[in-house]
Amino acid sequence: MKSLNKYIWIITVVIGLIACSHESDNTHYPKVILTEAAVKAIRAEQANLPLLKHSIENLQKKVEKEMLKGIDVPTPKDPAGGYTHEQHKQNYINMYGAGVLWQVTGEAHFANYVRDMLLEYAEMYPTLKEHPVKASYAPGRLFWQQLNEAVWLVYVSQAFDCIAGVLTTEQKDTIEKQLLLPYADFLSVENPRVFNRVHNHGVWAAAAVGMAGFAMDNDELVNRAFNGVETGPKGELGAGFLVQLTQLFSPDGYYTEGPYYQRYAMLPYLLFAQAIDNNRPEMRIFEYHDGVLQKAALTTLQLTNTNGQFFPINDALKSMSYMSTSLVHAVDFVYGLDESQKELLSIAREQGEVIICEAGLKVARAIANGESQPFKWESNEYRDGPEGKQGAFGVLRSNTGKNSQTVTMKYASQGMGHGHFDRLTISFYDQGKEILQDYGAARYVNVEYKHGGRYLPENKTWARQTIAHNTLVVDKDSQSEGKVKVASSHHSEPWVFDASKAEVKVMSAKENKAYEGVNMHRTIALLNIPELSNDAIILDLYRVESKRQHKYHLPYYYMGQMMHTNVEYKPETTQLKALGKNDGYQHLWNTGNGIMKAGANRFVWLNDDRFYTLTTEAQLNDKLVFARIGAGDPEFNLRNEPSVIIERGNTANTLFASTIEAHGNKHPVTELVNGLKGNVTDIKTLINNSEYTLVQLFLANKKQVTFAICNTNNDQSITHHLTANGQEYRWTGAYQLFK
Amino acid sequence: MKSLNKYIWIITVVIGLIACSHESDNTHYPKVILTEAAVKAIRAEQANLPLLKHSIENLQKKVEKEMLKGIDVPTPKDPAGGYTHEQHKQNYINMYGAGVLWQVTGEAHFANYVRDMLLEYAEMYPTLKEHPVKASYAPGRLFWQQLNEAVWLVYVSQAFDCIAGVLTTEQKDTIEKQLLLPYADFLSVENPRVFNRVHNHGVWAAAAVGMAGFAMDNDELVNRAFNGVETGPKGELGAGFLVQLTQLFSPDGYYTEGPYYQRYAMLPYLLFAQAIDNNRPEMRIFEYHDGVLQKAALTTLQLTNTNGQFFPINDALKSMSYMSTSLVHAVDFVYGLDESQKELLSIAREQGEVIICEAGLKVARAIANGESQPFKWESNEYRDGPEGKQGAFGVLRSNTGKNSQTVTMKYASQGMGHGHFDRLTISFYDQGKEILQDYGAARYVNVEYKHGGRYLPENKTWARQTIAHNTLVVDKDSQSEGKVKVASSHHSEPWVFDASKAEVKVMSAKENKAYEGVNMHRTIALLNIPELSNDAIILDLYRVESKRQHKYHLPYYYMGQMMHTNVEYKPETTQLKALGKNDGYQHLWNTGNGIMKAGANRFVWLNDDRFYTLTTEAQLNDKLVFARIGAGDPEFNLRNEPSVIIERGNTANTLFASTIEAHGNKHPVTELVNGLKGNVTDIKTLINNSEYTLVQLFLANKKQVTFAICNTNNDQSITHHLTANGQEYRWTGAYQLFK
């Protein structure tokens, strides 16, 4: 059967070559993403490379299904979601796929399909004016906005590149002069404002024009893409791709809007960079700006829980993961550059497909060869801002495997219009599951029922507000008055990040501008105490300083079912009221109210088959507010998930000292239960002042550990010495764990 | 490495045999569950049978870990959960495991461990009186209740059987006369009330005494187990195993408490039956009573969603599945009897282990041999009651695969003390996921925080009440006044069950006694219209007749997030109140109230990545009540899941005609959405009277289908003829789908 298939395949190739050979100059093309050498190798090896074979078959199935419908190039008319919009989108997908398939299968009908469709576009394009839907700041011609217009050309450049060899000189001329050149001009010289913009839209436009330039051997277009076009009265150059590369990602490859948007923003960078690497290898574009593109790709992979879903900070949808096409490109292209990164192969295996090009071939080859290594999820701090000076996003993990405990903390800049007002917020994952959640965005993308799939009203009134996050709310107001402009003018300050020690990993940051006159400083330490448990103890120290008294709220959005608390509380059983009227409080039902005793207060919940305990050191009159999301939600747009909120009123300077632990389990089938209790029996603040914070944990094995941090000096070489509770503490560096 | 292991294994066996050979009579034992022939075959083949090898290694790992702790046979003192209780439980598990391991590995320390522990028990047992914890109607000696006492002997009989060959005559005598014989007497002649009871406890006791009889070649014990012991003034025989067999399961192998309890109840039947089959093969015990035991095993497997979890009717925990040990026994023993049932092998593969005996060997062998076939989930009606005359539980599935749509309907008897007041309730699964849920039990088994792991107060006040289910509530009261005694005196009546046709599968049943003076009749039809979709349309016709007017509530506990409704409703956004004060209503928050227009009303929700639509034909003034579970729940014991309730007031006779559809999907990563709308555009009742119900569906392809059912005669040979809307309808049998 296998050899029969091979035989058929050879015949098909030969027929294909004969069918087109009288007009073929197929030694020159393709070269943009797919290359001549790659095509040869793919044809020779695909039968033995399951992942590549599967990817080609998959593409072929999709494209052939579309080709059966015939060619349809309608006059542009509809907005996004409408018929002409969707058809032009489908057309570039089909042309790209058919072009690639012509190369790897040699079946002539694929080439003919692309050729015929391009000729139809070439006939129509000169007749087009501005798109009739006037809704964008930058209207296109085929589409209502230039973003889609650029994406079209990114794919069509590749399709043209794949089939250019079969075109007659006349056909090639027609397509270039009536379609591709004026199209590229439109995106660049005719619309310098978009083209030169340091923004997602600008990057797509640069990639489109540059890739079209490579496909047509047109250096002028390539130069425009690199450097931008002239603008302003004095003919200065705007920002082209080379500037975009230095501006959008931080030196750690972090994108300020967060990983959900990073995944999307990365694709044009990756595609154009691969095209540059194929055609101007001497530029070493992937090493450009200290290898920022590779870093961005790897950072996006790292900014995931161990199921591969991106940390949902800012306006993020939680299901988005490294299974996305962008990340397939990222994995393949980075591996293509550096075949020593074997741990990328395990992600490629999960993705189940490769890009059909040389990089994808290398991935498929290495996987078939058994070279795959497990991906290692790292503890790391990802600095924000073009120069890495606008705060950071911290990730601590108990180990590098899929079963790790992970805590993230956001101490970055605002993240532009999609940012949330949630400085110093944390999230907690255990074995890939959300335990303390970030709500993410209030949106059902592409679900027309829900405001046409756009961001919902509750995204602004709830999801972006401070109270929706696991961070401190002062006087029931959101940070920075809930104003993007105010929040964008400042960022948090990293204080300590050290994940180098096995027994304690620490991240610590300060935020002094979110609330006027309030200085906040949060420290997260992952304590690894193997004699007690394989599960980490998370120490959470949230310090606040202010000259005035405030009401403080510190929420924990626990996922699961409440099991137990030692807090005396009054549940609301016959009537519920909202917790407030604004800043997100209007979306919380108040389901109960507890009064905590001074000392250790516990709250235990169950998530699937494991138990979790929050232990917090309360002060006299601290409250524990029980809440559930869902008030003020007339369209039932919100998920009705629970929270407990620690409330401390009439306080200026204070410390919220808590631990969070995963422990035990409950077997779904044997119904056996073990490890009902966590290992922290008590928690006591020994010192908390502007200089030092020392907190002691009492453990189930009757031992104590003490964590100390200096609040005024984070120099790792300075030695500290102080006395607390009659005990001397002496250490060097910003923090110390005393066992 | 493999051959090295084998070598070590051979040496170990030889040493083992030498170590014990001077006192061994190992030609006779074992014979209860494990047999001599099986041991030989297991030793010879295990290296090549991964599943068996894994099961043995797994057992060995567990037993060796326990053996390291030494032997501990404490004086009985504690109740369930306490130290002595748990230790005696662990001891029988360890002895059983060590006994089996002695047989299959030949390593002497396993046999010695069992021998030494049995001798310790033999020394202690004669000194024991009634257990000091006086909490059971039937106190034991090692344990607080005889149920545990019997389970102990079921396992210890097997352990003794495995190692009896290594005992000296004196040791054997001691163990039999000081321990096993008096222990068996205690469970039988000394406690005839429990032993003769047609009940779970009676079955364990019979199995224990009978298996001990086989192990000791004691026919008297075996006869007691078969026939019960003398009781009453005239020395009549009580119910033994042979009566139990005919009483507990219906002729379809259904157990009245439902599959969660069936799983548990089945184990002693299966074990004792296997022992009988090994020792009295001429009885053909598995064919007894029309093969009821095999049927019970297969029925339990069928009463699952396609993830293997049992339908959670009555007091059931939802995570329980065919991964349970009972079902490993069931799959192995049934396959052992009939090796043609290859579809059981796919379940054994999922289970990942086999019982170490001949049946398990056969399973492992067949799997290694690649004989596994996919399990087929069937549409079937499972009659309730010892003679199958107490109603039934119906299951309709759109196909036999894992991706099927499944609807269940409960029209059985009460199910004793664990039964819920939910006659004619339905549940709906799509691809194994709960879409319309049965709440199951309010309980966290073995979680001490939650009332010691027992049933929670809300199990009675909420989970058992009628409003907690997808069935009709009359005047806000639960069925049968919420009284088990009342409900147990009657059962529902099956009307139609026919799953033989591809285009429509039907189940229909009546319940006339749950509410005095109210006759209820529900019909579920799965319509398969391939030209529209691969997804079934579920037609739900709930007909009510009464001489008086009532308020009717028909809830649908949808799982997921509400996406859309065309019902005008007023949401509760600042304050929530409970829907009532009793019969479960006190546990529902009222989150909104809609007024439906006469005609088709739609409610659309999203579950994971698929859309679901409930379309219901409303009458003027019908309401749609939005609710969420969680009111009246001071300990946060309930899951806060949503519901919509159709309310129709001041009505005597009526029909609730609705459809439920699964449609489209939302891709988590591409974010593409399709199939937002279901295929039912309108639903109209053409006729609904005491004789006939005819309902017409208008479909997205502009066609109509009409479903007709006769309410007075369910004879499949009678011809019906009537006219509705100027159209003639003529059919033979109880129902018809007109396309």
Side-chain angles (χ1 to χ4, degrees):
Chain A
M1 194 61 190
K2 206 169 176 184
S3 67
L4 182 65
N5 277 343
K6 200 169 175 184
Y7 185 62
I8 291 172
W9 181 77
I10 292 170
I11 291 178
T12 318
V13 170
V14 171
I15 292 174
L17 290 174
I18 293 167
C20 302
S21 60
H22 65 285
E23 43 191 6
S24 173
D25 167 25
N26 211 354
T27 53
H28 186 57
Y29 296 103
K31 57 189 168 181
V32 178
I33 298 293
L34 195 56
T35 57
E36 247 187 297
V39 169
K40 267 188 201 149
I42 288 170
R43 288 185 177 204
E45 297 178 44
Q46 64 154 313
N48 303 316
L49 304 179
L51 200 55
L52 182 64
K53 190 161 170 276
H54 168 77
S55 302
I56 293 171
E57 286 169 354
N58 219 4
L59 183 66
Q60 185 157 354
K61 215 162 58 184
K62 283 186 199 163
V63 170
E64 284 178 344
K65 196 173 156 196
E66 287 294 326
M67 283 170 65
L68 285 176
K69 299 180 187 167
I71 290 174
D72 178 11
V73 179
T75 305
K77 188 169 80 63
D78 299 325
Y83 155 67
T84 69
H85 180 95
E86 294 303 318
Q87 185 61 41
H88 289 300
K89 268 175 76 174
Q90 195 59 54
N91 281 348
Y92 73 66
I93 294 168
N94 296 348
M95 280 194 278
Y96 163 75
V100 168
L101 286 168
W102 152 244
Q103 288 293 339
V104 299
T105 70
E107 294 178 29
H109 65 287
F110 291 120
N112 298 342
Y113 174 80
V114 179
R115 179 195 62 205
D116 295 349
M117 196 185 289
L118 283 175
L119 287 168
E120 284 208 30
Y121 270 105
E123 198 181 324
M124 179 178 74
Y125 194 75
T127 71
L128 297 182
K129 304 275 173 249
E130 192 177 288
H131 195 278
V133 173
K134 318 271 182 205
S136 168
Y137 78 101
R141 285 179 175 169
L142 294 177
F143 299 95
W144 72 285
Q145 63 168 348
Q146 281 173 41
L147 171 62
N148 302 97
E149 205 87 0
V151 178
W152 188 94
L153 188 56
V154 164
Y155 286 93
V156 170
S157 299
Q158 294 179 68
F160 172 79
D161 180 49
C162 282
I163 64 110
V166 308
L167 298 175
T168 63
T169 312
E170 195 191 347
Q171 288 166 342
K172 206 172 156 197
D173 246 38
T174 305
I175 292 167
E176 292 193 357
K177 292 187 182 149
Q178 289 182 209
L179 178 63
L180 301 182
L181 287 167
Y183 199 111
D185 283 345
F186 173 76
L187 288 176
S188 52
V189 286
E190 295 173 28
N191 280 286
R193 206 159 51 110
V194 180
F195 194 71
N196 287 335
R197 193 176 171 204
V198 179
H199 182 277
N200 176 21
H201 292 189
V203 182
W204 277 104
V209 171
M211 288 166 76
F214 285 132
M216 294 186 284
D217 293 310
N218 184 323
D219 284 349
E220 198 203 320
L221 290 185
V222 174
N223 286 338
R224 277 187 214 163
F226 284 168
N227 303 312
V229 294
E230 284 182 12
T231 179
K234 292 180 191 161
E236 310 92 329
L237 280 178
F241 187 71
L242 301 182
V243 172
Q244 301 268 17
L245 254 187
T246 65
Q247 292 297 308
L248 227 73
F249 300 108
S250 83
D252 293 332
Y254 181 82
Y255 176 61
T256 192
E257 290 187 304
Y260 175 79
Y261 276 92
Q262 176 152 356
R263 154 217 49 117
Y264 182 73
M266 240 172 30
L267 188 56
Y269 282 97
L270 288 167
L271 282 167
F272 191 29
Q274 185 66 58
I276 296 170
D277 205 47
N278 288 346
N279 293 278
R280 304 267 173 95
E282 69 284 2
M283 284 178 70
R284 299 179 173 272
I285 189 72
F286 280 103
E287 292 173 27
Y288 201 82
H289 201 57
D290 204 20
V292 70
L293 259 185
Q294 277 194 71
K295 280 188 194 161
L298 294 172
T299 293
T300 320
L301 290 175
Q302 286 290 346
L303 291 176
T304 56
N305 66 31
T306 55
N307 295 320
Q309 287 151 340
F310 298 122
F311 295 129
I313 51 167
N314 297 331
D315 282 346
L317 280 294
K318 291 195 183 184
S319 62
M320 186 57 70
S321 75
Y322 61 41
M323 302 297 280
S324 132
T325 304
S326 274
L327 275 293
V328 179
H329 283 85
V331 166
D332 290 3
F333 290 175
V334 172
Y335 183 80
L337 287 170
D338 177 4
E339 292 181 73
S340 75
Q341 300 197 36
K342 303 297 180 196
E343 70 287 356
L344 292 176
L345 300 174
S346 60
I347 294 185
R349 285 174 64 180
E350 273 191 61
Q351 290 171 335
E353 57 168 335
V354 291
I355 305 303
I356 299 162
C357 68
E358 196 184 351
L361 170 71
K362 286 181 183 172
V363 168
R365 205 188 265 150
I367 287 174
N369 207 22
E371 295 170 30
S372 174
Q373 296 287 333
F375 184 71
K376 286 188 182 136
W377 277 272
E378 291 166 1
S379 296
N380 218 335
E381 181 176 63
Y382 302 94
R383 289 168 296 161
D384 192 7
E387 294 176 346
K389 293 182 176 167
Q390 300 182 13
F393 184 79
V395 181
L396 293 183
R397 310 191 190 252
S398 60
N399 63 53
T400 61
K402 285 225 173 215
N403 68 342
S404 72
Q405 275 130 27
T406 301
V407 186
T408 67
M409 178 155 65
K410 190 183 168 206
Y411 43 103
S413 69
Q414 183 61 17
M416 309 202 281
H418 289 300
H420 289 193
F421 302 97
D422 61 354
R423 304 277 165 87
L424 306 190
T425 191
I426 60 168
S427 295
F428 172 43
Y429 297 83
D430 182 26
Q431 303 176 19
K433 292 177 194 156
E434 279 186 307
I435 306 304
L436 293 175
Q437 74 158 330
D438 186 308
Y439 188 90
R443 183 183 187 185
Y444 292 89
V445 180
N446 288 328
V447 178
E448 217 161 291
Y449 293 133
K450 291 291 191 188
H451 289 247
R454 294 183 297 277
Y455 287 101
L456 294 164
E458 292 76 15
N459 193 56
K460 196 170 175 196
T461 58
W462 164 252
R464 287 185 184 166
Q465 301 299 320
T466 308
I467 188 62
H469 300 84
N470 303 310
T471 190
L472 196 80
V473 183
V474 178
D475 297 328
K476 296 182 80 173
D477 294 328
S478 278
Q479 295 175 0
S480 302
E481 305 164 52
K483 290 179 183 161
V484 176
K485 211 171 168 184
V486 177
S488 298
S489 68
H490 55 82
H491 53 80
S492 304
E493 298 292 345
W495 186 246
V496 176
F497 188 95
D498 184 2
S500 64
K501 301 194 186 82
E503 62 174 20
V504 57
K505 299 189 173 98
V506 176
M507 56 185 170
S508 180
K510 298 182 176 189
E511 170 58 55
N512 297 333
K513 292 179 177 160
Y515 293 105
E516 214 191 304
V518 180
N519 292 345
M520 309 190 293
H521 178 189
R522 191 174 207 169
T523 300
I524 297 289
L526 244 68
L527 312 184
N528 177 23
I529 305 179
E531 61 269 31
L532 275 177
S533 164
N534 292 325
D535 297 309
I537 294 172
I538 294 140
L539 177 64
D540 178 10
L541 303 178
Y542 208 128
R543 205 168 60 81
V544 204
E545 288 185 345
S546 172
K547 292 199 172 127
R548 292 198 305 117
Q549 288 203 334
H550 299 280
K551 176 183 278 192
Y552 297 122
H553 274 161
L554 182 56
Y556 289 90
Y557 285 86
Y558 68 96
M559 295 294 267
Q561 185 83 30
M562 191 262 224
M563 288 289 113
H564 170 72
T565 181
N566 65 344
V567 177
E568 276 188 34
Y569 68 93
K570 189 189 153 299
E572 300 296 341
T573 59
T574 57
Q575 191 176 311
L576 292 187
K577 289 185 177 164
L579 265 176
K581 299 208 161 148
N582 48 275
D583 288 65
Y585 282 81
Q586 71 276 29
H587 293 294
L588 286 171
W589 294 117
N590 181 202
T591 55
N593 294 285
I595 303 284
M596 296 200 274
K597 295 203 173 101
N601 289 262
R602 259 183 303 282
F603 183 87
V604 185
W605 69 100
L606 176 71
N607 180 299
D608 269 14
D609 51 4
R610 297 210 74 193
F611 298 93
Y612 300 89
T613 296
L614 168 70
T615 306
T616 193
E617 182 193 30
Q619 297 182 358
L620 197 67
N621 294 324
D622 276 4
K623 290 181 184 158
L624 190 67
V625 180
F626 295 71
R628 188 169 286 276
I629 303 164
D633 181 21
E635 295 165 332
F636 300 103
N637 288 333
L638 296 176
R639 303 189 308 269
N640 298 93
E641 289 153 346
S643 170
V644 283
I645 305 170
I646 301 169
E647 177 176 312
R648 187 169 297 165
N650 304 321
T651 305
N653 299 346
T654 194
L655 172 73
F656 295 87
S658 308
T659 58
I660 301 140
E661 297 172 85
H663 50 93
N665 59 62
K666 180 179 187 303
H667 194 285
V669 172
T670 65
E671 297 185 333
L672 294 175
V673 165
N674 63 54
L676 268 176
K677 289 184 181 173
N679 282 309
V680 177
T681 57
D682 202 358
I683 175 167
K684 275 187 185 150
T685 299
L686 303 182
I687 293 176
N688 182 53
N689 56 38
S690 59
E691 271 190 295
Y692 292 104
T693 301
L694 265 76
V695 171
Q696 192 165 38
L697 301 183
F698 295 75
L699 304 174
N701 61 359
K702 311 282 181 199
K703 295 189 177 167
Q704 293 105 49
V705 296
T706 302
F707 181 85
I709 186 164
C710 175
N711 301 322
T712 50
N713 194 321
N714 59 6
D715 191 322
Q716 291 293 11
S717 64
I718 285 190
T719 295
H720 306 275
H721 177 208
L722 64 166
T723 306
N725 246 3
Q727 176 107 29
E728 278 196 83
Y729 294 91
R730 208 183 270 276
W731 77 95
T732 302
Y735 74 91
Q736 183 72 35
L737 180 71
F738 297 93
K739 290 183 83 168
Chain B
M1 193 60 193
K2 205 170 177 184
S3 66
L4 182 64
N5 277 342
K6 200 170 175 181
Y7 185 63
I8 290 172
W9 181 78
I10 292 169
I11 292 178
T12 319
V13 170
V14 171
I15 292 173
L17 291 173
I18 293 166
C20 302
S21 58
H22 65 283
E23 43 192 5
S24 174
D25 166 26
N26 212 353
T27 54
H28 185 57
Y29 296 102
K31 57 190 169 181
V32 178
I33 297 293
L34 196 56
T35 56
E36 244 188 299
V39 169
K40 267 188 203 150
I42 288 168
R43 288 185 177 204
E45 296 178 44
Q46 65 155 312
N48 303 316
L49 304 179
L51 201 53
L52 181 64
K53 189 161 172 278
H54 168 77
S55 301
I56 293 171
E57 286 170 353
N58 218 4
L59 182 66
Q60 185 157 353
K61 215 163 59 185
K62 282 185 200 164
V63 170
E64 284 179 344
K65 197 174 154 195
E66 287 293 327
M67 283 170 64
L68 285 177
K69 299 180 187 165
I71 290 174
D72 178 11
V73 178
T75 305
K77 188 170 79 62
D78 299 325
Y83 155 66
T84 70
H85 180 96
E86 294 304 317
Q87 185 62 40
H88 289 300
K89 268 175 77 174
Q90 195 60 53
N91 281 349
Y92 72 67
I93 294 167
N94 297 349
M95 279 194 278
Y96 162 74
V100 168
L101 287 168
W102 153 244
Q103 287 294 338
V104 299
T105 70
E107 294 178 30
H109 63 288
F110 291 120
N112 298 342
Y113 175 78
V114 180
R115 179 195 62 205
D116 295 348
M117 196 185 289
L118 282 175
L119 288 169
E120 286 209 28
Y121 269 105
E123 199 181 323
M124 178 178 76
Y125 194 75
T127 71
L128 297 183
K129 304 273 173 249
E130 193 176 287
H131 195 278
V133 173
K134 318 271 181 207
S136 170
Y137 78 101
R141 286 180 174 167
L142 295 177
F143 299 94
W144 72 285
Q145 64 168 349
Q146 282 173 40
L147 172 61
N148 301 97
E149 204 86 359
V151 178
W152 187 93
L153 188 57
V154 163
Y155 286 93
V156 171
S157 300
Q158 295 179 67
F160 172 77
D161 179 48
C162 283
I163 64 109
V166 308
L167 298 174
T168 62
T169 312
E170 193 191 346
Q171 288 166 341
K172 206 172 157 198
D173 243 38
T174 306
I175 292 168
E176 291 191 357
K177 294 190 179 142
Q178 288 182 211
L179 179 64
L180 299 181
L181 286 168
Y183 200 112
D185 284 345
F186 174 76
L187 287 177
S188 52
V189 288
E190 295 174 28
N191 282 286
R193 205 157 53 108
V194 180
F195 193 71
N196 287 334
R197 193 175 172 205
V198 178
H199 182 279
N200 179 22
H201 293 188
V203 181
W204 277 106
V209 172
M211 288 167 76
F214 285 132
M216 295 186 284
D217 293 311
N218 183 323
D219 284 349
E220 197 203 320
L221 290 185
V222 173
N223 286 338
R224 277 187 214 163
F226 283 167
N227 303 312
V229 293
E230 284 181 13
T231 180
K234 295 180 190 161
E236 310 92 328
L237 281 178
F241 188 70
L242 301 182
V243 171
Q244 301 267 17
L245 254 188
T246 66
Q247 292 297 308
L248 225 74
F249 300 108
S250 83
D252 293 332
Y254 181 82
Y255 176 62
T256 192
E257 290 187 303
Y260 176 79
Y261 276 93
Q262 175 152 359
R263 156 217 50 115
Y264 181 71
M266 240 171 31
L267 189 55
Y269 282 97
L270 288 167
L271 284 167
F272 191 28
Q274 185 66 57
I276 296 170
D277 206 47
N278 287 345
N279 292 280
R280 303 268 173 98
E282 68 284 1
M283 285 178 69
R284 298 178 176 272
I285 188 73
F286 280 105
E287 291 172 29
Y288 201 83
H289 201 55
D290 204 19
V292 70
L293 259 186
Q294 276 194 72
K295 279 188 194 162
L298 294 172
T299 292
T300 320
L301 290 175
Q302 286 290 345
L303 290 176
T304 55
N305 65 31
T306 54
N307 295 321
Q309 287 149 341
F310 299 122
F311 296 130
I313 52 167
N314 297 331
D315 282 346
L317 280 294
K318 291 196 183 184
S319 62
M320 187 57 71
S321 75
Y322 59 43
M323 302 297 280
S324 131
T325 305
S326 275
L327 274 294
V328 179
H329 283 85
V331 165
D332 290 3
F333 290 175
V334 173
Y335 182 81
L337 288 169
D338 176 4
E339 292 182 73
S340 74
Q341 299 197 38
K342 303 297 180 197
E343 70 284 358
L344 292 175
L345 300 174
S346 61
I347 294 184
R349 285 174 64 180
E350 272 190 63
Q351 290 170 337
E353 56 167 335
V354 291
I355 304 304
I356 299 163
C357 68
E358 195 183 352
L361 170 71
K362 286 181 182 171
V363 168
R365 206 188 263 149
I367 288 173
N369 207 22
E371 295 169 30
S372 172
Q373 296 286 334
F375 184 70
K376 286 188 182 135
W377 277 273
E378 291 165 4
S379 295
N380 218 334
E381 183 176 63
Y382 302 94
R383 287 169 298 161
D384 192 7
E387 295 177 343
K389 292 182 177 168
Q390 299 182 14
F393 185 78
V395 181
L396 293 182
R397 307 192 191 254
S398 61
N399 63 54
T400 60
K402 285 225 173 216
N403 68 342
S404 72
Q405 275 129 28
T406 301
V407 186
T408 68
M409 179 155 67
K410 189 184 168 206
Y411 43 103
S413 68
Q414 183 61 17
M416 309 202 281
H418 288 302
H420 289 193
F421 302 96
D422 61 353
R423 304 277 164 88
L424 306 190
T425 191
I426 61 168
S427 294
F428 172 43
Y429 297 84
D430 183 26
Q431 303 176 19
K433 292 177 194 157
E434 280 187 306
I435 306 304
L436 294 175
Q437 74 158 331
D438 187 308
Y439 188 89
R443 182 183 187 185
Y444 292 89
V445 181
N446 289 329
V447 177
E448 213 158 296
Y449 294 132
K450 291 291 191 188
H451 288 246
R454 295 182 296 278
Y455 286 102
L456 294 164
E458 293 76 15
N459 193 56
K460 196 169 175 197
T461 59
W462 163 252
R464 287 186 184 167
Q465 301 298 320
T466 308
I467 189 63
H469 300 85
N470 302 310
T471 190
L472 196 81
V473 183
V474 178
D475 297 328
K476 296 182 80 173
D477 293 328
S478 278
Q479 296 176 0
S480 303
E481 305 164 54
K483 290 179 182 161
V484 176
K485 211 171 169 183
V486 176
S488 298
S489 68
H490 55 81
H491 53 79
S492 304
E493 298 291 345
W495 186 245
V496 175
F497 189 93
D498 184 1
S500 65
K501 300 194 186 83
E503 63 174 18
V504 56
K505 297 188 174 98
V506 177
M507 57 185 169
S508 180
K510 297 182 176 189
E511 171 57 55
N512 297 334
K513 292 179 176 158
Y515 293 105
E516 214 191 306
V518 181
N519 292 344
M520 308 191 291
H521 178 188
R522 192 174 206 168
T523 300
I524 297 289
L526 244 68
L527 313 183
N528 176 23
I529 306 179
E531 62 268 32
L532 276 176
S533 165
N534 292 325
D535 296 309
I537 294 171
I538 294 140
L539 177 62
D540 178 10
L541 303 178
Y542 208 127
R543 206 167 62 80
V544 202
E545 287 185 345
S546 173
K547 290 196 174 129
R548 293 197 305 115
Q549 289 203 333
H550 299 280
K551 176 183 277 192
Y552 297 122
H553 274 162
L554 181 57
Y556 289 90
Y557 285 85
Y558 69 95
M559 296 294 267
Q561 184 82 29
M562 190 260 224
M563 287 289 114
H564 170 72
T565 182
N566 65 344
V567 177
E568 276 187 35
Y569 68 93
K570 188 188 153 301
E572 300 296 342
T573 59
T574 58
Q575 190 176 313
L576 292 187
K577 289 184 176 163
L579 265 175
K581 299 206 161 149
N582 49 278
D583 288 67
Y585 282 81
Q586 72 275 28
H587 292 294
L588 286 172
W589 295 116
N590 180 203
T591 55
N593 295 284
I595 303 284
M596 295 199 275
K597 295 203 172 100
N601 289 262
R602 257 184 305 283
F603 183 87
V604 185
W605 70 99
L606 176 70
N607 180 299
D608 270 13
D609 51 3
R610 297 209 74 193
F611 298 94
Y612 299 88
T613 296
L614 168 70
T615 305
T616 194
E617 181 194 31
Q619 297 181 359
L620 198 67
N621 293 326
D622 276 3
K623 289 181 185 158
L624 190 67
V625 180
F626 295 71
R628 188 170 286 276
I629 303 165
D633 181 21
E635 294 165 333
F636 300 103
N637 288 332
L638 296 176
R639 303 189 307 270
N640 299 91
E641 290 153 346
S643 170
V644 284
I645 305 170
I646 300 169
E647 177 175 313
R648 187 168 296 165
N650 303 322
T651 305
N653 300 345
T654 194
L655 172 74
F656 294 87
S658 307
T659 58
I660 300 138
E661 298 171 84
H663 51 93
N665 60 63
K666 179 177 187 303
H667 194 286
V669 171
T670 65
E671 297 185 333
L672 293 175
V673 166
N674 64 54
L676 267 176
K677 290 183 181 175
N679 281 309
V680 176
T681 57
D682 203 357
I683 175 167
K684 275 186 183 148
T685 300
L686 303 181
I687 294 177
N688 182 53
N689 56 38
S690 59
E691 271 190 295
Y692 292 104
T693 301
L694 266 75
V695 171
Q696 191 164 40
L697 302 183
F698 295 76
L699 304 174
N701 62 358
K702 309 285 182 197
K703 294 188 177 167
Q704 295 104 51
V705 295
T706 302
F707 181 84
I709 186 164
C710 176
N711 301 322
T712 50
N713 194 318
N714 59 5
D715 190 323
Q716 291 293 10
S717 64
I718 284 189
T719 296
H720 305 275
H721 177 207
L722 64 164
T723 305
N725 245 3
Q727 175 108 27
E728 280 197 82
Y729 295 91
R730 208 183 268 275
W731 77 94
T732 301
Y735 75 92
Q736 183 71 34
L737 181 70
F738 297 93
K739 290 184 84 168

